[in-house]
């Protein structure tokens, strides 16, 4: 097992990159601690697979270094990095049996027969494939094949890290939940450094102790699920985490006052963004309340007059979309809340407001 440090790492698939947009990865610095469970989260195309392939050695980066336990491995080929990588689609030997597929990486490393048998039968049990041990791999369903791919990654104990690249894509939803839970248990038992790539926030937040959020080739925030929810460092994190995500509204900010489309909103803290910064207010749907309007706006600063656009009951909660001028704002309120039909006032929980300047979160009492 190893810590993995990347420094000033960038990668372009183009021979002579010039613009920022030519880079699939743009100057990334990060250290994965030995034994941690990490998720790499971001939308399709943001560079997750590129980063994983750079770590495993399938790709040589255009710039920067990778170290395992303080040893520079940037120019080492994959087989000398001792990394297990599980891909989005099954990589197995069709002509071997299920058990042989699992035994293969161990036999390759010269483990003795009894040890191999023990490990393989444990892994078969974990994957719920014991009854299929002797079956030829080509006779299996797509999810069974992918489970073997996972097993081939997990069966080795001597690896520096295990990298998973959206490994549950072909698995059906119920099984997904189960495998994710098992992966977490396996991590707790073996304490391998694990990096799990996904575009699905639920997968990332349930698997990982730390989530690395990527956006357009950069790491925009690393945090626990709570940190990402409560204190997004970038508007993208606010918007991407949560369902629906954080409302991001253009505002002008002066000290403890924000103005949205001419409506004043008081905010906690004191912000002095520079004049030319693009400032936005972030508020999560969970942190907005709604009430009926009697037509006149109360002198209370924080009530914003809105029109109710759409109401969706999602079980124990109601998602309401309202409009304030040109902006749509989403709210989540408990089931049973009385929802006005047309006109309403909404109020933001002042304590939960985030202020961003040029997409970066401003700390309370700060300037940009
Ligand atoms: P993700 O895994 O997050 O979906 P990728 O790392 O696959 O993202 O891709 C990041 C960017 O690099 C995308 O713009 C993608 O089109 C580009 N890209 C990925 N692989 C290649 C490749 N082999 N050749 C050229 N461009 C690529
Ligand atoms: Mg990918």
């Amino acid at each position: 097992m190893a810590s993995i440090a990347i420094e000033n790492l960038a990668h372009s698939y183009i021979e002579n990159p010039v613009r920022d947009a030519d880079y699939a990865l743009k100057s990334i610095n990060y250290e994965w601690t030995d034994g941690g469970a990490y998720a790499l989260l971001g939308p399709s195309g943001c560079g997750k697979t590129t980063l994983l392939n750079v770590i495993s050695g399938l790709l040589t980066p255009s710039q920067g270094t990778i170290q395992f336990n303080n040893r520079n491995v940037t120019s080492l080929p994959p087989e000398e990095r001792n990394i297990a990588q599980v891909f989005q689609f099954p990589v197995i030997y069709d002509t071997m049996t299920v058990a042989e597929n699992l035994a293969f990486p161990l036999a390759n490393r010269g483990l003795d027969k009894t040890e191999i048998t023990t490990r393989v039968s444990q892994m078969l049990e974990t994957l719920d494939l014991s009854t299929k041990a002797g079956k030829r791999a080509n006779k299996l369903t797509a999810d069974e094949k992918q489970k073997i791919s996972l097993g081939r990654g997990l069966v080795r104990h001597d690896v520096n890290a295990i990298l998973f690249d959206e490994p549950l894509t072909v698995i059906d939803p119920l099984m997904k939940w189960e495998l994710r839970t098992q992966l977490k248990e396996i991590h707790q038992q073996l304490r391998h450094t694990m990096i799990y790539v996904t575009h699905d926030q639920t997968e990332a937040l349930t698997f990982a102790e730390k989530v690395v959020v990527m956006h357009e080739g950069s790491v925009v925030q690393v945090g626990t699920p709570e940190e990402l929810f409560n204190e997004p460092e970038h508007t993208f994190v606010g918007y991407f985490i949560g369902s629906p995500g954080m409302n991001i509204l253009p505002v002008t900010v002066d000290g403890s006052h924000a103005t949205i489309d001419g409506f004043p909103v008081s905010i906690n803290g004191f912000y002095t963004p520079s004049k030319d910064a693009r400032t936005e207010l972030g508020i999560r749907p969970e942190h907005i309340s709604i009430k009926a309007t009697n037509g006149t706006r109360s002198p209370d600063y924080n009530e914003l007059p809105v029109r109710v656009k759409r109401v969706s009951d999602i079980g124990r909660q109601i998602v309401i979309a309202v409009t304030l001028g040109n902006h749509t704002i989403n709210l989540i309120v408990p089931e049973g809340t009385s929802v006005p039909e047309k006109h309403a006032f909404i109020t933001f929980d002042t304590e939960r407001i985030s202020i961003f300047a040029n997409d970066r979160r401003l700390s309370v009492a700060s300037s940009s």
Side-chain angles (χ1 to χ4, degrees), residues 15-130:
E15 226 168 275
N16 296 306
V18 268
R19 299 168 308 148
D20 231 26
D22 294 341
Y23 285 87
L25 298 177
K26 300 166 191 151
S27 191
I28 298 183
N29 290 285
Y30 190 64
E31 181 164 355
W32 281 270
T33 312
D34 190 4
Y38 294 90
L40 205 54
L41 175 68
S44 176
C46 72
K48 304 180 298 295
T49 297
T50 305
L51 181 54
L52 223 55
N53 290 344
V54 163
I55 294 173
S56 66
L58 292 174
L59 264 181
T60 308
S62 321
Q63 180 193 305
T65 57
I66 308 141
Q67 302 197 355
F68 290 177
N69 288 336
N70 303 320
R71 173 171 172 241
N72 191 333
V73 297
T74 319
S75 53
L76 289 188
E79 54 283 7
E80 286 176 44
R81 296 196 188 187
N82 205 13
I83 292 252
Q85 190 167 4
V86 180
F87 300 92
Q88 201 164 359
F89 299 101
V91 178
I92 54 169
Y93 297 104
D94 267 342
T95 53
M96 292 186 188
T97 65
V98 171
E100 284 164 355
N101 261 287
L102 293 174
F104 191 76
L106 300 176
N108 243 352
R109 306 199 82 76
L111 256 75
D112 74 71
K113 279 222 162 67
T114 29
E115 178 69 15
I116 295 179
T117 315
T118 319
R119 292 253 197 105
V120 168
S121 66
Q122 278 170 353
M123 193 46 64
L124 285 167
E125 212 156 290
T126 306
L127 299 170
D128 199 17
L129 284 175
S130 299

Side-chain angles (χ1 to χ4, degrees), residues 115-239:
E115 178 69 15
I116 295 179
T117 315
T118 319
R119 292 253 197 105
V120 168
S121 66
Q122 278 170 353
M123 193 46 64
L124 285 167
E125 212 156 290
T126 306
L127 299 170
D128 199 17
L129 284 175
S130 299
T131 56
K132 310 247 161 110
K135 217 169 167 177
R136 281 265 284 272
N138 61 355
K139 298 274 190 291
L140 303 177
T141 62
D143 21 333
E144 287 169 340
K145 286 184 182 172
Q146 184 62 354
K147 286 208 280 180
I148 301 173
S149 277
L150 274 173
R152 285 163 49 93
L154 293 167
V155 78
R156 288 169 56 190
H157 290 182
D158 61 337
V159 289
N160 279 322
I162 311 180
L163 313 181
F164 303 92
D165 195 352
E166 315 220 23
L168 305 183
T169 309
V170 295
I171 307 276
D172 80 70
L174 210 87
M175 193 66 194
K176 251 186 197 168
W177 184 83
E178 192 164 320
L179 284 178
R180 214 164 55 216
T181 315
Q182 279 173 9
L183 275 183
K184 204 168 174 162
E185 279 170 21
I186 291 172
H187 176 258
Q188 276 154 4
Q189 266 171 36
L190 301 179
R191 283 279 153 192
H192 280 127
T193 311
M194 287 188 178
I195 305 178
Y196 187 104
V197 164
T198 178
H199 63 271
D200 178 332
Q201 56 167 309
T202 316
E203 269 190 20
L205 302 180
T206 50
F207 170 75
E209 295 157 344
K210 277 231 164 124
V211 181
V212 178
V213 185
M214 286 186 69
H215 173 56
E216 295 178 350
S218 299
V219 170
V220 283
Q221 186 170 2
V222 181
T224 62
E226 292 75 27
E227 286 163 349
L228 299 178
F229 187 84
N230 292 324
E231 298 196 342
E233 288 299 331
H234 191 283
T235 49
F236 175 76
V237 178
Y239 158 82

Side-chain angles (χ1 to χ4, degrees), residues 320-334:
I320 309 169
V322 300
T323 52
L324 173 74
N326 293 327
H327 310 295
T328 297
I329 300 174
N330 290 310
L331 289 70
I332 299 178
V333 297

